[in-house]
RNA sequence: GCCUCGGUAGCUCAGCCUGGUAGAGCGAAUGCCUUGUAAGCAUUAGGUCGCGGGAUCGAAGCCCGCCCGAGGCUCCA
C-alpha cells in the first residue's frame, strides 16, 4: 500500500464521471473540507487487513505529531504500478475508514470516479509524509503445508530386519530413544544455549553478522580454513566414488514449469528476489541446476548410473527466524549434493548401497563417526512391501537399530530416504548425511536416456549429501568437543582440522632465530606451525596456546638448543616429552595420514596477527 | 511468526531496584622485566550508556514508543 499524506488548508473535489463498473454510488458529488489531512491511498496487489493495520498505525503516528484529527481518505491509483483489484481495494479502504473513525473525524472520497480537485497544502516540514508498506511475498510450498497432514507410523528396524512398533520397543541406546522422541513427539523443552555457540566464537571460527540476514554467518580465518579442509575432503571422496563435478546458478526463475512443480513437492521456505520484473528464488539445494543440465545430456543406459556433484556454496533456506541456532541451523549453508541418475529401481538400489557406504566412510573420516550418529529411515508402505531385502541390506551395513517412519502413500518425490542424525549435548537431533530415492523428478525435468530396447525412459534419481551441511559438521565437531570437556577430556578438533597444529614458544627472544629454523623445517613437511614471538611470559604463552586447543606445543630454550631435541607438550595426553624433530614430524604425518592439507591461514608470527576474539 | 531475555569501553560484564562526577577485568599502546610449561609489574588511551520522546532542577537508571540482537518453540542439511 502506498500512501501520501498532505496536511492541507483545504481541499475541494468533484466527482465527474464513473471510471469503472464497480464505482460506488454516491449522493454528494462535490465536497470541501478545511484543516484536513488529505490521505492519498493506493491499495496494491498483495495488501490485506494486516497491512492496512500497519498503515493505520503510521497514519496515527503522524497525526499525533501534526495535531490535526480531520482526515480524508482519497483513493489515488497513480501512486502505484501494482494495483489491487477494485473490489479488493474498496473493501480495504472501507476497512481503514472504519478503524480510523475510532477517534478521528474521517471522510472518504468516492471510489471509482474521475475526480477534479483543488488543494492547498501547508508549508511546514511535517505537512507532507509518505508511507509505503507492502507484504514481503513469501512462497510456501504445498509440500510444506501438506506435510502437516501427513500420517506416519513409527518403528524401530532391528539389524536382523525385524520391524518393531515403536511403543513395543525396549531401547538399549539412549540416543536412539532421544531421536525417536524428538521425531515423533516433535517437542523438546530446553532453555540453554548449545555449547558450540560459545566455542565457535572463542575459537574464532564463526560469528553472527548483524549486517546480513539472520542465519548468514561470518567465518573468521580459522573457520574458513576448517571449512575449506572439510569441503576438499568431501569433494575428493565424491569424485573418487565416480561423480562428475559441475557448477550451477544459485538463483532460478519461479515461473519455470519444472521448478514450480518441484518447488511444491519440497518442504522448504525460499528466499525470493525480484529483478527486472521477474521473481527469482535462491536454490535450497543443487537439484534444479543439475537436473536442468542433465535434461540436455544425450544419455544411453550404458552410461548409467551417471553421478553429478556440486558443493553448493550456498544453499539457501529461509527458515523461520527463531529456528536458527549457531552453526546448527542456518539460512545460508554449504552442502555437498550428489545425484545419481539410474536406469531402474534395481540399479538405484545397488547405487544407494554404495552411497550409504560412502557416507559412512565420509563422516567417520571427518571425525563425527557413525557411532555418534543415529539413523532414521523413512519409506512408503508400498516400497517396503516390495523391497524388504534391500532394506535389510541397508540396516545390515549400518549395523545398529534405526528409527523408521512409514507413510501410507507417497507424499514427497521420493519413496525412501535415510539420514544420519547427530544428537547434541542438549539432546537436539539434526541431520547430517542423507540419501533419497526419487521416482518423480526424472519425468518432471524431462531427463531421458535410451534404454536397451531403443525406448526413451526417465531415470530414477538418488539425492545424496555424504556429509550433510559443512557448517553442521563443524557444529557436530564442536558439540563433541564440548561433551569431551564435560567428561574431563581436553577438548580439541581432529589434528588435520586444527588451524594451528604445532605452536613453537621460545623461552626468550634470544631463541627466536633458532625457532624460525625449526618452524621452517616443520612447515616444509606440510604441517601448520606458528611461532609465539610476543613479548609475554612463557606461562602466558602456554596458557594462550592451550586456550586455542593447539595439539602440539613446543618450548625452546637453552637446553633444547644444546641437545638438539624438542620439548613437546601434547594436548590430548597432557604429557611432556623430548623428541627429535624428525620423530615429531613422522608422528603428525602418520596421524593426519592422507587427509587434506592447507597452509596456515594467519601470519606465522603471533605478533603480526590481528586479535579476533577474547 | 510466537514466548523469554538482552543492548553500558575493542571483548566479557557490573552499575539500574533506591536518579546526583560512567566502573572492573581482559585486550590495546608505552615502559620495566628476559622468563622453563595455563594469566609478571606499572602507566596511558579508550564510552552519544541502542534510538526517540515524556515526567524531573537533574536520567545509563523512572514512564511510553521504536529499532536491533540472542535463546526457546515448530523444522531440516
Amino acid at each position: 500500500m502506498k500512501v501520501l499524506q498532505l496536511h492541507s488548508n483545504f481541499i475541494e473535489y468533484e466527482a465527474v464521471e464513473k471510471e469503472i463498473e464497480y464505482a460506488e454510488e454516491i449522493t454528494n458529488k462535490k465536497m470541501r473540507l478545511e484543516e484536513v489531512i488529505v490521505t492519498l491511498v493506493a491499495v496494491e496487489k498483495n495488501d490485506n487487513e494486516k497491512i492496512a493495520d500497519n498503515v493505520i498505525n503510521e497514519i496515527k503516528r503522524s497525526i499525533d505529531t501534526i495535531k490535526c484529527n480531520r482526515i480524508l481518505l482519497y483513493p489515488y491509483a497513480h501512486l502505484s504500478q501494482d494495483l489491487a483489484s477494485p473490489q479488493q481495494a474498496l473493501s480495504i479502504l472501507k476497512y481503514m475508514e472504519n478503524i480510523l473513525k475510532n477517534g478521528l473525524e474521517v471522510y472518504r472520497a468516492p471510489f471509482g470516479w474521475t475526480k477534479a480537485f483543488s488543494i492547498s497544502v501547508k508549508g511546514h516540514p511535517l505537512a507532507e509524509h509518505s508511507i509505503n508498506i507492502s507484504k514481503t511475498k513469501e512462497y510456501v510450498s504445498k509440500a510444506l503445508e501438506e506435510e502437516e497432514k501427513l500420517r506416519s507410523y513409527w518403528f524401530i528396524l532391528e539389524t536382523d530386519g525385524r520391524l518393531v512398533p515403536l511403543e513395543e520397543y525396549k531401547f538399549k541406546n539412549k540416543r536412539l530413544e532421544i531421536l525417536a522422541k524428538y521425531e515423533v513427539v516433535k517437542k523438546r523443552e530446553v532453555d540453554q544455549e548449545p555449547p558450540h555457540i560459545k566455542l565457535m566464537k572463542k575459537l574464532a571460527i564463526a560469528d553472527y553478522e548483524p549486517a546480513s540476514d539472520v542465519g548468514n554467518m561470518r567465518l573468521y580465518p580459522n573457520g574458513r580454513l576448517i571449512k575449506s579442509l572439510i569441503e576438499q575432503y568431501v569433494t575428493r571422496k565424491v569424485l573418487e566414488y565416480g561423480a562428475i563435478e559441475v557448477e550451477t546458478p544459485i538463483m532460478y526463475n519461479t515461473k519455470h514449469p519444472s521448478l514450480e512443480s518441484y518447488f511444491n513437492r519440497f518442504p522448504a521456505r525460499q528466499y525470493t528476489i525480484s529483478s527486472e520484473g521477474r521473481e527469482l528464488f535462491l536454490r535450497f539445494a543443487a537439484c534444479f541446476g543439475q537436473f536442468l543440465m542433465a535434461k540436455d545430456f544425450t544419455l544411453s543406459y550404458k552410461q548409467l548410473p551417471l553421478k553429478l556433484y556440486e558443493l553448493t556454496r550456498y544453499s539457501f533456506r529461509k527458515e523461520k527466524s527463531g529456528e536458527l541456532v549457531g552453526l546448527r541451523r542456518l539460512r545460508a549453508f554449504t552442502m555437498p549434493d550428489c545425484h545419481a541418475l539410474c536406469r531402474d529401481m534395481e540399479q538405484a538400489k545397488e547405487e544407494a548401497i554404495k552411497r550409504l557406504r560412502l557416507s559412512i566412510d565420509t563422516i567417520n573420516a571427518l571425525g563425527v563417526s557413525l557411532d555418534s550418529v543415529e539413523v532414521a529411515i523413512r519409506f512408503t508402505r508400498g516400497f517396503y512391501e516390495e523391497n524388504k531385502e534391500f532394506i535389510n541390506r541397508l540396516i545390515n551395513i549400518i549395523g545398529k537399530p534405526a528409527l523408521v517412519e512409514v507413510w501410507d502413500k507417497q507424499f514427497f518425490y521420493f519413496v525412501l530416504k535415510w539420514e544420519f542424525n547427530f544428537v547434541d549435548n542438549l539432546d537436539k537431533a539434526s541431520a547430517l548425511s542423507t540419501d533419497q530415492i526419487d521416482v518423480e523428478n526424472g519425468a518432471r525435468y524431462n531427463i531421458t536416456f535410451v534404454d536397451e530396447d531403443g525406448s526413451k525412459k526417465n531415470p530414477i534419481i538418488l539425492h545424496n549429501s555424504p556429509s550433510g551441511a559443512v557448517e553442521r559438521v563443524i557444529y557436530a565437531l564442536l558439540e563433541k568437543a564440548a561433551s569431551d570437556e564435560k567428561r574431563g577430556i581436553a577438548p580439541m578438533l581432529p589434528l588435520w582440522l586444527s588451524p594451528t597444529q604445532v605452536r613453537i614458544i621460545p623461552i626468550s627472544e634470544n631463541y627466536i632465530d633458532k625457532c624460525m629454523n625449526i618452524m621452517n623445517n616443520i612447515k616444509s613437511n606440510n604441517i601448520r606451525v606458528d611461532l609465539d614471538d610476543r613479548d609475554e611470559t612463557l606461562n602466558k604463552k602456554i596458557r594462550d596456546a592451550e586456550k586455542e586447543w593447539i595439539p602440539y606445543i613446543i618450548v625452546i630454550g637453552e637446553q633444547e638448543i644444546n641437545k638438539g631435541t624438542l620439548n613437546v607438550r601434547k594436548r590430548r595426553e597432557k604429557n611432556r616429552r623430548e623428541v627429535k624433530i624428525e620423530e615429531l614430524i613422522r608422528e603428525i604425518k602418520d596421524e593426519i595420514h592422507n587427509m587434506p592439507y592447507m597452509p596456515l591461514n594467519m601470519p606465522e608470527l603471533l605478533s603480526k596477527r590481528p586479535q579476533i576474539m577474547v
Side-chain angles (χ1 to χ4, degrees), chain A residues 536-561:
Chain A
E536 296 288 352
T537 60
L538 175 65
N539 281 334
K540 177 69 175 289
K541 293 187 207 177
I542 298 273
R543 179 177 151 84
D544 287 346
E546 294 286 1
K547 277 166 59 183
E548 286 180 54
W549 296 6
I550 293 173
Y552 291 92
I553 300 171
I554 299 174
V555 174
I556 302 290
E558 199 180 346
Q559 293 168 27
E560 289 74 23
I561 301 292

PDB file of all heavy atoms in Angstrom, chain A residues 536-561:
ATOM      1  N   GLU A 536      55.817 -11.841  25.918  1.00  0.00           N
ATOM      2  CA  GLU A 536      54.985 -12.260  27.055  1.00  0.00           C
ATOM      3  C   GLU A 536      55.755 -13.325  27.836  1.00  0.00           C
ATOM      4  O   GLU A 536      56.736 -13.890  27.335  1.00  0.00           O
ATOM      5  CB  GLU A 536      53.668 -12.874  26.551  1.00  0.00           C
ATOM      6  CG  GLU A 536      52.765 -11.923  25.784  1.00  0.00           C
ATOM      7  CD  GLU A 536      52.100 -10.883  26.670  1.00  0.00           C
ATOM      8  OE1 GLU A 536      52.215 -10.982  27.914  1.00  0.00           O
ATOM      9  OE2 GLU A 536      51.464  -9.961  26.113  1.00  0.00           O
ATOM     10  N   THR A 537      55.252 -13.641  29.016  1.00  0.00           N
ATOM     11  CA  THR A 537      55.938 -14.689  29.781  1.00  0.00           C
ATOM     12  C   THR A 537      55.636 -16.055  29.176  1.00  0.00           C
ATOM     13  O   THR A 537      54.641 -16.239  28.469  1.00  0.00           O
ATOM     14  CB  THR A 537      55.441 -14.714  31.240  1.00  0.00           C
ATOM     15  OG1 THR A 537      54.039 -14.977  31.226  1.00  0.00           O
ATOM     16  CG2 THR A 537      55.719 -13.401  31.928  1.00  0.00           C
ATOM     17  N   LEU A 538      56.480 -16.999  29.482  1.00  0.00           N
ATOM     18  CA  LEU A 538      56.275 -18.365  29.000  1.00  0.00           C
ATOM     19  C   LEU A 538      54.906 -18.879  29.434  1.00  0.00           C
ATOM     20  O   LEU A 538      54.158 -19.450  28.640  1.00  0.00           O
ATOM     21  CB  LEU A 538      57.381 -19.272  29.551  1.00  0.00           C
ATOM     22  CG  LEU A 538      57.213 -20.744  29.205  1.00  0.00           C
ATOM     23  CD1 LEU A 538      57.335 -20.967  27.709  1.00  0.00           C
ATOM     24  CD2 LEU A 538      58.237 -21.584  29.948  1.00  0.00           C
ATOM     25  N   ASN A 539      54.595 -18.672  30.697  1.00  0.00           N
ATOM     26  CA  ASN A 539      53.324 -19.165  31.220  1.00  0.00           C
ATOM     27  C   ASN A 539      52.145 -18.625  30.429  1.00  0.00           C
ATOM     28  O   ASN A 539      51.201 -19.348  30.100  1.00  0.00           O
ATOM     29  CB  ASN A 539      53.162 -18.780  32.688  1.00  0.00           C
ATOM     30  CG  ASN A 539      53.961 -19.703  33.579  1.00  0.00           C
ATOM     31  OD1 ASN A 539      54.231 -20.838  33.208  1.00  0.00           O
ATOM     32  ND2 ASN A 539      54.373 -19.201  34.731  1.00  0.00           N
ATOM     33  N   LYS A 540      52.218 -17.350  30.163  1.00  0.00           N
ATOM     34  CA  LYS A 540      51.126 -16.714  29.421  1.00  0.00           C
ATOM     35  C   LYS A 540      50.982 -17.334  28.037  1.00  0.00           C
ATOM     36  O   LYS A 540      49.879 -17.603  27.563  1.00  0.00           O
ATOM     37  CB  LYS A 540      51.428 -15.208  29.306  1.00  0.00           C
ATOM     38  CG  LYS A 540      50.436 -14.413  28.504  1.00  0.00           C
ATOM     39  CD  LYS A 540      49.108 -14.329  29.222  1.00  0.00           C
ATOM     40  CE  LYS A 540      48.153 -13.420  28.461  1.00  0.00           C
ATOM     41  NZ  LYS A 540      48.527 -12.018  28.526  1.00  0.00           N
ATOM     42  N   LYS A 541      52.099 -17.582  27.387  1.00  0.00           N
ATOM     43  CA  LYS A 541      52.049 -18.129  26.025  1.00  0.00           C
ATOM     44  C   LYS A 541      51.522 -19.563  26.025  1.00  0.00           C
ATOM     45  O   LYS A 541      50.772 -19.956  25.133  1.00  0.00           O
ATOM     46  CB  LYS A 541      53.444 -18.089  25.396  1.00  0.00           C
ATOM     47  CG  LYS A 541      53.947 -16.677  25.151  1.00  0.00           C
ATOM     48  CD  LYS A 541      55.251 -16.724  24.384  1.00  0.00           C
ATOM     49  CE  LYS A 541      56.098 -15.510  24.654  1.00  0.00           C
ATOM     50  NZ  LYS A 541      57.381 -15.600  23.952  1.00  0.00           N
ATOM     51  N   ILE A 542      51.903 -20.344  27.037  1.00  0.00           N
ATOM     52  CA  ILE A 542      51.375 -21.708  27.146  1.00  0.00           C
ATOM     53  C   ILE A 542      49.867 -21.649  27.329  1.00  0.00           C
ATOM     54  O   ILE A 542      49.102 -22.351  26.664  1.00  0.00           O
ATOM     55  CB  ILE A 542      51.984 -22.431  28.379  1.00  0.00           C
ATOM     56  CG1 ILE A 542      53.488 -22.554  28.236  1.00  0.00           C
ATOM     57  CG2 ILE A 542      51.312 -23.780  28.591  1.00  0.00           C
ATOM     58  CD1 ILE A 542      53.970 -23.748  27.490  1.00  0.00           C
ATOM     59  N   ARG A 543      49.457 -20.786  28.219  1.00  0.00           N
ATOM     60  CA  ARG A 543      48.024 -20.660  28.501  1.00  0.00           C
ATOM     61  C   ARG A 543      47.252 -20.299  27.237  1.00  0.00           C
ATOM     62  O   ARG A 543      46.225 -20.902  26.927  1.00  0.00           O
ATOM     63  CB  ARG A 543      47.814 -19.594  29.571  1.00  0.00           C
ATOM     64  CG  ARG A 543      46.363 -19.362  29.912  1.00  0.00           C
ATOM     65  CD  ARG A 543      46.245 -18.340  31.024  1.00  0.00           C
ATOM     66  NE  ARG A 543      44.998 -17.600  30.928  1.00  0.00           N
ATOM     67  CZ  ARG A 543      43.851 -18.025  31.422  1.00  0.00           C
ATOM     68  NH1 ARG A 543      43.809 -19.181  32.057  1.00  0.00           N
ATOM     69  NH2 ARG A 543      42.763 -17.310  31.284  1.00  0.00           N
ATOM     70  N   ASP A 544      47.769 -19.313  26.491  1.00  0.00           N
ATOM     71  CA  ASP A 544      47.077 -18.905  25.265  1.00  0.00           C
ATOM     72  C   ASP A 544      47.011 -20.043  24.255  1.00  0.00           C
ATOM     73  O   ASP A 544      46.000 -20.238  23.589  1.00  0.00           O
ATOM     74  CB  ASP A 544      47.771 -17.681  24.649  1.00  0.00           C
ATOM     75  CG  ASP A 544      47.494 -16.418  25.460  1.00  0.00           C
ATOM     76  OD1 ASP A 544      46.579 -16.450  26.309  1.00  0.00           O
ATOM     77  OD2 ASP A 544      48.186 -15.407  25.248  1.00  0.00           O
ATOM     78  N   ALA A 545      48.101 -20.800  24.157  1.00  0.00           N
ATOM     79  CA  ALA A 545      48.121 -21.926  23.206  1.00  0.00           C
ATOM     80  C   ALA A 545      47.101 -22.981  23.621  1.00  0.00           C
ATOM     81  O   ALA A 545      46.392 -23.549  22.787  1.00  0.00           O
ATOM     82  CB  ALA A 545      49.514 -22.535  23.133  1.00  0.00           C
ATOM     83  N   GLU A 546      46.986 -23.231  24.904  1.00  0.00           N
ATOM     84  CA  GLU A 546      46.006 -24.213  25.378  1.00  0.00           C
ATOM     85  C   GLU A 546      44.585 -23.730  25.114  1.00  0.00           C
ATOM     86  O   GLU A 546      43.707 -24.516  24.777  1.00  0.00           O
ATOM     87  CB  GLU A 546      46.198 -24.479  26.882  1.00  0.00           C
ATOM     88  CG  GLU A 546      47.520 -25.154  27.228  1.00  0.00           C
ATOM     89  CD  GLU A 546      47.552 -26.631  26.850  1.00  0.00           C
ATOM     90  OE1 GLU A 546      46.554 -27.138  26.299  1.00  0.00           O
ATOM     91  OE2 GLU A 546      48.584 -27.273  27.098  1.00  0.00           O
ATOM     92  N   LYS A 547      44.382 -22.451  25.282  1.00  0.00           N
ATOM     93  CA  LYS A 547      43.041 -21.911  25.026  1.00  0.00           C
ATOM     94  C   LYS A 547      42.648 -22.050  23.560  1.00  0.00           C
ATOM     95  O   LYS A 547      41.469 -22.090  23.234  1.00  0.00           O
ATOM     96  CB  LYS A 547      42.961 -20.445  25.452  1.00  0.00           C
ATOM     97  CG  LYS A 547      42.683 -20.299  26.953  1.00  0.00           C
ATOM     98  CD  LYS A 547      42.925 -18.898  27.484  1.00  0.00           C
ATOM     99  CE  LYS A 547      42.084 -17.838  26.813  1.00  0.00           C
ATOM    100  NZ  LYS A 547      42.416 -16.495  27.320  1.00  0.00           N
ATOM    101  N   GLU A 548      43.643 -22.080  22.710  1.00  0.00           N
ATOM    102  CA  GLU A 548      43.357 -22.272  21.280  1.00  0.00           C
ATOM    103  C   GLU A 548      43.258 -23.738  20.888  1.00  0.00           C
ATOM    104  O   GLU A 548      43.133 -24.045  19.703  1.00  0.00           O
ATOM    105  CB  GLU A 548      44.458 -21.617  20.429  1.00  0.00           C
ATOM    106  CG  GLU A 548      44.411 -20.117  20.389  1.00  0.00           C
ATOM    107  CD  GLU A 548      45.532 -19.555  19.516  1.00  0.00           C
ATOM    108  OE1 GLU A 548      45.647 -19.966  18.356  1.00  0.00           O
ATOM    109  OE2 GLU A 548      46.301 -18.730  20.028  1.00  0.00           O
ATOM    110  N   TRP A 549      43.374 -24.639  21.844  1.00  0.00           N
ATOM    111  CA  TRP A 549      43.269 -26.086  21.594  1.00  0.00           C
ATOM    112  C   TRP A 549      44.375 -26.582  20.657  1.00  0.00           C
ATOM    113  O   TRP A 549      44.151 -27.470  19.830  1.00  0.00           O
ATOM    114  CB  TRP A 549      41.911 -26.464  20.973  1.00  0.00           C
ATOM    115  CG  TRP A 549      40.716 -26.222  21.823  1.00  0.00           C
ATOM    116  CD1 TRP A 549      40.666 -25.604  23.030  1.00  0.00           C
ATOM    117  CD2 TRP A 549      39.357 -26.600  21.522  1.00  0.00           C
ATOM    118  NE1 TRP A 549      39.374 -25.573  23.492  1.00  0.00           N
ATOM    119  CE2 TRP A 549      38.556 -26.164  22.579  1.00  0.00           C
ATOM    120  CE3 TRP A 549      38.759 -27.254  20.445  1.00  0.00           C
ATOM    121  CZ2 TRP A 549      37.182 -26.370  22.608  1.00  0.00           C
ATOM    122  CZ3 TRP A 549      37.384 -27.453  20.473  1.00  0.00           C
ATOM    123  CH2 TRP A 549      36.611 -27.014  21.543  1.00  0.00           C
ATOM    124  N   ILE A 550      45.552 -26.024  20.766  1.00  0.00           N
ATOM    125  CA  ILE A 550      46.625 -26.434  19.850  1.00  0.00           C
ATOM    126  C   ILE A 550      47.153 -27.806  20.262  1.00  0.00           C
ATOM    127  O   ILE A 550      47.516 -28.014  21.420  1.00  0.00           O
ATOM    128  CB  ILE A 550      47.742 -25.378  19.844  1.00  0.00           C
ATOM    129  CG1 ILE A 550      47.182 -24.106  19.209  1.00  0.00           C
ATOM    130  CG2 ILE A 550      48.968 -25.886  19.094  1.00  0.00           C
ATOM    131  CD1 ILE A 550      48.082 -22.929  19.262  1.00  0.00           C
ATOM    132  N   PRO A 551      47.187 -28.751  19.327  1.00  0.00           N
ATOM    133  CA  PRO A 551      47.517 -30.146  19.688  1.00  0.00           C
ATOM    134  C   PRO A 551      48.954 -30.325  20.178  1.00  0.00           C
ATOM    135  O   PRO A 551      49.192 -31.121  21.078  1.00  0.00           O
ATOM    136  CB  PRO A 551      47.291 -30.924  18.384  1.00  0.00           C
ATOM    137  CG  PRO A 551      46.430 -30.053  17.533  1.00  0.00           C
ATOM    138  CD  PRO A 551      46.741 -28.647  17.921  1.00  0.00           C
ATOM    139  N   TYR A 552      49.914 -29.645  19.574  1.00  0.00           N
ATOM    140  CA  TYR A 552      51.316 -29.804  19.975  1.00  0.00           C
ATOM    141  C   TYR A 552      51.918 -28.446  20.322  1.00  0.00           C
ATOM    142  O   TYR A 552      51.871 -27.529  19.517  1.00  0.00           O
ATOM    143  CB  TYR A 552      52.140 -30.419  18.845  1.00  0.00           C
ATOM    144  CG  TYR A 552      51.792 -31.858  18.555  1.00  0.00           C
ATOM    145  CD1 TYR A 552      50.831 -32.175  17.594  1.00  0.00           C
ATOM    146  CD2 TYR A 552      52.428 -32.893  19.230  1.00  0.00           C
ATOM    147  CE1 TYR A 552      50.500 -33.488  17.318  1.00  0.00           C
ATOM    148  CE2 TYR A 552      52.110 -34.223  18.961  1.00  0.00           C
ATOM    149  CZ  TYR A 552      51.147 -34.512  18.012  1.00  0.00           C
ATOM    150  OH  TYR A 552      50.825 -35.816  17.743  1.00  0.00           O
ATOM    151  N   ILE A 553      52.508 -28.357  21.526  1.00  0.00           N
ATOM    152  CA  ILE A 553      53.185 -27.127  21.927  1.00  0.00           C
ATOM    153  C   ILE A 553      54.657 -27.467  22.172  1.00  0.00           C
ATOM    154  O   ILE A 553      54.972 -28.399  22.916  1.00  0.00           O
ATOM    155  CB  ILE A 553      52.558 -26.547  23.210  1.00  0.00           C
ATOM    156  CG1 ILE A 553      51.077 -26.226  22.967  1.00  0.00           C
ATOM    157  CG2 ILE A 553      53.317 -25.297  23.646  1.00  0.00           C
ATOM    158  CD1 ILE A 553      50.328 -25.853  24.230  1.00  0.00           C
ATOM    159  N   ILE A 554      55.521 -26.711  21.524  1.00  0.00           N
ATOM    160  CA  ILE A 554      56.953 -26.963  21.656  1.00  0.00           C
ATOM    161  C   ILE A 554      57.589 -25.764  22.345  1.00  0.00           C
ATOM    162  O   ILE A 554      57.415 -24.626  21.890  1.00  0.00           O
ATOM    163  CB  ILE A 554      57.611 -27.129  20.277  1.00  0.00           C
ATOM    164  CG1 ILE A 554      56.990 -28.315  19.545  1.00  0.00           C
ATOM    165  CG2 ILE A 554      59.110 -27.316  20.419  1.00  0.00           C
ATOM    166  CD1 ILE A 554      57.497 -28.454  18.127  1.00  0.00           C
ATOM    167  N   VAL A 555      58.312 -26.011  23.443  1.00  0.00           N
ATOM    168  CA  VAL A 555      59.009 -24.932  24.130  1.00  0.00           C
ATOM    169  C   VAL A 555      60.512 -25.051  23.823  1.00  0.00           C
ATOM    170  O   VAL A 555      61.097 -26.130  23.956  1.00  0.00           O
ATOM    171  CB  VAL A 555      58.758 -25.001  25.647  1.00  0.00           C
ATOM    172  CG1 VAL A 555      59.597 -23.956  26.373  1.00  0.00           C
ATOM    173  CG2 VAL A 555      57.276 -24.781  25.930  1.00  0.00           C
ATOM    174  N   ILE A 556      61.093 -23.965  23.404  1.00  0.00           N
ATOM    175  CA  ILE A 556      62.505 -23.976  23.021  1.00  0.00           C
ATOM    176  C   ILE A 556      63.292 -23.012  23.909  1.00  0.00           C
ATOM    177  O   ILE A 556      62.976 -21.821  23.971  1.00  0.00           O
ATOM    178  CB  ILE A 556      62.678 -23.538  21.552  1.00  0.00           C
ATOM    179  CG1 ILE A 556      61.895 -24.440  20.601  1.00  0.00           C
ATOM    180  CG2 ILE A 556      64.166 -23.520  21.189  1.00  0.00           C
ATOM    181  CD1 ILE A 556      62.437 -25.820  20.451  1.00  0.00           C
ATOM    182  N   GLY A 557      64.331 -23.547  24.595  1.00  0.00           N
ATOM    183  CA  GLY A 557      65.232 -22.725  25.398  1.00  0.00           C
ATOM    184  C   GLY A 557      66.639 -23.246  25.215  1.00  0.00           C
ATOM    185  O   GLY A 557      66.925 -23.995  24.264  1.00  0.00           O
ATOM    186  N   GLU A 558      67.465 -22.902  26.159  1.00  0.00           N
ATOM    187  CA  GLU A 558      68.877 -23.253  26.009  1.00  0.00           C
ATOM    188  C   GLU A 558      69.104 -24.764  25.944  1.00  0.00           C
ATOM    189  O   GLU A 558      69.846 -25.262  25.108  1.00  0.00           O
ATOM    190  CB  GLU A 558      69.659 -22.662  27.181  1.00  0.00           C
ATOM    191  CG  GLU A 558      71.134 -22.564  26.889  1.00  0.00           C
ATOM    192  CD  GLU A 558      71.898 -21.970  28.059  1.00  0.00           C
ATOM    193  OE1 GLU A 558      71.253 -21.403  28.956  1.00  0.00           O
ATOM    194  OE2 GLU A 558      73.130 -22.087  28.069  1.00  0.00           O
ATOM    195  N   GLN A 559      68.407 -25.483  26.841  1.00  0.00           N
ATOM    196  CA  GLN A 559      68.589 -26.936  26.883  1.00  0.00           C
ATOM    197  C   GLN A 559      68.317 -27.586  25.532  1.00  0.00           C
ATOM    198  O   GLN A 559      69.078 -28.444  25.074  1.00  0.00           O
ATOM    199  CB  GLN A 559      67.603 -27.561  27.880  1.00  0.00           C
ATOM    200  CG  GLN A 559      67.842 -27.198  29.312  1.00  0.00           C
ATOM    201  CD  GLN A 559      66.654 -27.616  30.186  1.00  0.00           C
ATOM    202  OE1 GLN A 559      65.922 -28.547  29.870  1.00  0.00           O
ATOM    203  NE2 GLN A 559      66.470 -26.915  31.285  1.00  0.00           N
ATOM    204  N   GLU A 560      67.199 -27.174  24.920  1.00  0.00           N
ATOM    205  CA  GLU A 560      66.806 -27.790  23.654  1.00  0.00           C
ATOM    206  C   GLU A 560      67.806 -27.465  22.553  1.00  0.00           C
ATOM    207  O   GLU A 560      68.138 -28.322  21.728  1.00  0.00           O
ATOM    208  CB  GLU A 560      65.406 -27.333  23.234  1.00  0.00           C
ATOM    209  CG  GLU A 560      64.285 -27.896  24.079  1.00  0.00           C
ATOM    210  CD  GLU A 560      64.197 -27.248  25.457  1.00  0.00           C
ATOM    211  OE1 GLU A 560      64.683 -26.114  25.609  1.00  0.00           O
ATOM    212  OE2 GLU A 560      63.677 -27.894  26.382  1.00  0.00           O
ATOM    213  N   ILE A 561      68.264 -26.222  22.574  1.00  0.00           N
ATOM    214  CA  ILE A 561      69.228 -25.825  21.551  1.00  0.00           C
ATOM    215  C   ILE A 561      70.487 -26.688  21.692  1.00  0.00           C
ATOM    216  O   ILE A 561      71.007 -27.221  20.716  1.00  0.00           O
ATOM    217  CB  ILE A 561      69.600 -24.334  21.701  1.00  0.00           C
ATOM    218  CG1 ILE A 561      68.353 -23.451  21.574  1.00  0.00           C
ATOM    219  CG2 ILE A 561      70.663 -23.945  20.674  1.00  0.00           C
ATOM    220  CD1 ILE A 561      67.719 -23.401  20.226  1.00  0.00           C
TER     221      ILE A 561
END
